[in-house]
Amino acid sequence: CLVVFQGADSYVTPDWYPSKQTTHKVVPTWNYEMVQVRGRPVVIESGDWLRSQVGDVTNAMEQQRPHPWSVADAPAQFIEAQLKAIVGLEIEITDIKGKWKMSQNKTHEEVQGVVAGLSDPNDSHTNPKVAEIVYRLAEE
Protein backbone atom coordinates (compact mmCIF):
# COMPACT_ATOMS: atom_id res chain seq x y z
CA CYS A 1 0.00 0.00 0.00
CA LEU A 2 0.99 3.64 -0.29
CA VAL A 3 0.51 6.13 2.55
CA VAL A 4 1.16 9.82 1.88
CA PHE A 5 1.97 12.22 4.70
CA GLN A 6 1.42 15.81 3.60
CA GLY A 7 3.30 18.54 5.45
CA ALA A 8 3.11 22.28 5.08
CA ASP A 9 2.25 23.57 1.62
CA SER A 10 1.29 26.77 -0.10
CA TYR A 11 0.70 28.36 -3.49
CA VAL A 12 3.38 30.84 -4.60
CA THR A 13 2.25 33.61 -6.94
CA PRO A 14 4.65 35.21 -9.44
CA ASP A 15 3.67 38.59 -7.96
CA TRP A 16 5.93 37.88 -4.97
CA TYR A 17 9.10 37.63 -7.07
CA PRO A 18 10.95 40.95 -7.55
CA SER A 19 12.18 39.71 -10.95
CA LYS A 20 8.61 39.78 -12.25
CA GLN A 21 8.99 43.55 -12.60
CA THR A 22 12.21 43.28 -14.61
CA THR A 23 12.42 39.99 -16.52
CA HIS A 24 8.87 38.64 -16.30
CA LYS A 25 10.49 35.16 -16.34
CA VAL A 26 8.46 33.76 -13.46
CA VAL A 27 5.56 31.37 -13.17
CA PRO A 28 3.29 30.24 -10.32
CA THR A 29 4.49 27.30 -8.26
CA TRP A 30 3.77 25.37 -5.09
CA ASN A 31 5.95 24.92 -2.02
CA TYR A 32 5.39 21.65 -0.17
CA GLU A 33 6.63 18.90 2.14
CA MET A 34 5.60 15.28 1.79
CA VAL A 35 6.62 11.72 2.58
CA GLN A 36 5.46 8.56 0.80
CA VAL A 37 5.61 5.29 2.69
CA ARG A 38 5.10 1.97 0.95
CA GLY A 39 4.57 -1.29 2.72
CA ARG A 40 2.50 -4.36 3.38
CA PRO A 41 -0.68 -3.71 5.35
CA VAL A 42 -1.86 -6.16 7.98
CA VAL A 43 -5.41 -5.97 9.37
CA ILE A 44 -5.45 -6.27 13.16
CA GLU A 45 -8.72 -7.20 14.82
CA SER A 46 -7.49 -7.49 18.41
CA GLY A 47 -9.63 -5.36 20.71
CA ASP A 48 -6.71 -4.99 23.14
CA TRP A 49 -4.43 -3.74 20.33
CA LEU A 50 -7.06 -1.25 19.11
CA ARG A 51 -7.77 -0.03 22.65
CA SER A 52 -4.05 0.52 23.19
CA GLN A 53 -3.71 2.46 19.91
CA VAL A 54 -6.73 4.64 20.63
CA GLY A 55 -5.50 5.26 24.18
CA ASP A 56 -1.99 6.20 23.01
CA VAL A 57 -3.24 8.61 20.33
CA THR A 58 -5.78 10.16 22.70
CA ASN A 59 -3.16 10.64 25.44
CA ALA A 60 -0.71 12.20 22.99
CA MET A 61 -3.31 14.64 21.66
CA GLU A 62 -4.91 15.50 25.01
CA GLN A 63 -1.80 15.82 27.20
CA GLN A 64 -1.37 19.59 26.76
CA ARG A 65 -5.00 20.44 27.45
CA PRO A 66 -5.85 21.89 30.87
CA HIS A 67 -8.18 18.96 31.61
CA PRO A 68 -7.10 16.08 29.33
CA TRP A 69 -9.82 13.70 28.23
CA SER A 70 -9.08 10.00 28.65
CA VAL A 71 -10.66 6.96 27.03
CA ALA A 72 -11.59 5.89 30.56
CA ASP A 73 -13.82 9.01 30.81
CA ALA A 74 -16.38 7.39 28.51
CA PRO A 75 -18.55 4.42 29.47
CA ALA A 76 -16.78 1.11 28.81
CA GLN A 77 -19.67 -0.28 26.71
CA PHE A 78 -19.63 2.83 24.55
CA ILE A 79 -15.88 2.51 23.95
CA GLU A 80 -16.28 -1.20 23.09
CA ALA A 81 -18.92 -0.31 20.50
CA GLN A 82 -16.70 2.40 19.02
CA LEU A 83 -13.73 0.02 18.81
CA LYS A 84 -15.82 -2.42 16.76
CA ALA A 85 -16.20 0.29 14.12
CA ILE A 86 -12.42 0.72 13.75
CA VAL A 87 -10.29 -1.30 11.34
CA GLY A 88 -6.79 -1.65 12.77
CA LEU A 89 -3.93 -1.54 10.28
CA GLU A 90 -0.25 -2.04 10.79
CA ILE A 91 2.08 -1.42 7.86
CA GLU A 92 5.38 -3.21 7.47
CA ILE A 93 7.37 -0.46 5.77
CA THR A 94 9.33 -1.48 2.68
CA ASP A 95 10.17 1.98 1.25
CA ILE A 96 10.16 5.61 2.39
CA LYS A 97 10.63 8.65 0.15
CA GLY A 98 10.43 12.26 1.21
CA LYS A 99 10.42 15.39 -0.89
CA TRP A 100 10.16 19.06 -0.20
CA LYS A 101 10.26 22.20 -2.29
CA MET A 102 10.43 25.41 -0.31
CA SER A 103 11.84 27.96 -2.77
CA GLN A 104 15.36 26.58 -2.24
CA ASN A 105 15.98 26.96 -5.98
CA LYS A 106 15.43 30.74 -5.86
CA THR A 107 17.77 33.67 -5.28
CA HIS A 108 17.91 35.37 -1.89
CA GLU A 109 15.84 38.29 -3.25
CA GLU A 110 13.17 35.98 -4.66
CA VAL A 111 13.01 34.03 -1.37
CA GLN A 112 12.56 37.27 0.55
CA GLY A 113 9.67 38.16 -1.78
CA VAL A 114 8.06 34.76 -1.14
CA VAL A 115 8.50 35.13 2.63
CA ALA A 116 6.99 38.64 2.53
CA GLY A 117 4.03 37.45 0.44
CA LEU A 118 3.35 34.41 2.58
CA SER A 119 3.61 36.57 5.72
CA ASP A 120 1.19 39.26 4.51
CA PRO A 121 -2.13 38.83 6.36
CA ASN A 122 -3.83 40.91 3.66
CA ASP A 123 -2.79 38.54 0.87
CA SER A 124 -5.29 35.82 -0.04
CA HIS A 125 -2.43 33.29 -0.08
CA THR A 126 -0.99 34.17 3.31
CA ASN A 127 0.58 31.19 5.04
CA PRO A 128 2.80 32.10 8.02
CA LYS A 129 3.78 28.46 8.64
CA VAL A 130 5.25 28.05 5.16
CA ALA A 131 6.78 31.55 5.36
CA GLU A 132 8.67 30.48 8.49
CA ILE A 133 9.94 27.29 6.83
CA VAL A 134 11.10 29.15 3.70
CA TYR A 135 12.76 31.82 5.84
CA ARG A 136 14.49 29.30 8.09
CA LEU A 137 15.82 27.29 5.14
CA ALA A 138 17.14 30.43 3.45
CA GLU A 139 19.05 31.41 6.58
CA GLU A 140 20.86 28.04 6.85
Side-chain angles (χ1 to χ4, degrees), residues 10-74:
S10 188
Y11 175 78
V12 176
T13 175
D15 287 341
W16 294 340
Y17 297 128
S19 64
K20 179 183 177 221
Q21 304 306 316
T22 55
T23 69
H24 302 285
K25 294 180 179 179
V26 293
V27 295
T29 190
W30 206 274
N31 281 347
Y32 61 90
E33 303 171 308
M34 60 82 66
V35 173
Q36 292 183 347
V37 177
R38 294 183 185 276
R40 292 180 188 86
V42 177
V43 174
I44 300 180
E45 298 177 3
S46 164
D48 290 340
W49 187 89
L50 290 171
R51 192 176 300 99
S52 176
Q53 296 298 313
V54 169
D56 289 349
V57 170
T58 300
N59 293 341
M61 299 305 294
E62 290 282 330
Q63 70 182 347
Q64 294 181 6
R65 298 187 54 78
H67 304 287
W69 184 86
S70 168
V71 174
D73 292 344

Side-chain angles (χ1 to χ4, degrees), residues 34-127:
M34 60 82 66
V35 173
Q36 292 183 347
V37 177
R38 294 183 185 276
R40 292 180 188 86
V42 177
V43 174
I44 300 180
E45 298 177 3
S46 164
D48 290 340
W49 187 89
L50 290 171
R51 192 176 300 99
S52 176
Q53 296 298 313
V54 169
D56 289 349
V57 170
T58 300
N59 293 341
M61 299 305 294
E62 290 282 330
Q63 70 182 347
Q64 294 181 6
R65 298 187 54 78
H67 304 287
W69 184 86
S70 168
V71 174
D73 292 344
Q77 286 181 322
F78 176 74
I79 294 299
E80 291 305 317
Q82 296 298 302
L83 290 174
K84 288 179 182 174
I86 298 173
V87 175
L89 287 177
E90 190 169 63
I91 300 172
E92 178 187 329
I93 297 172
T94 58
D95 186 47
I96 298 176
K97 290 184 180 152
K99 186 169 182 176
W100 59 275
K101 181 186 152 313
M102 289 288 175
S103 297
Q104 71 269 27
N105 61 331
K106 299 295 180 184
T107 66
H108 181 73
E109 292 76 22
E110 303 288 48
V111 167
Q112 294 309 310
V114 170
V115 170
L118 289 169
S119 299
D120 182 356
N122 297 315
D123 192 294
S124 61
H125 297 293
T126 187
N127 191 324

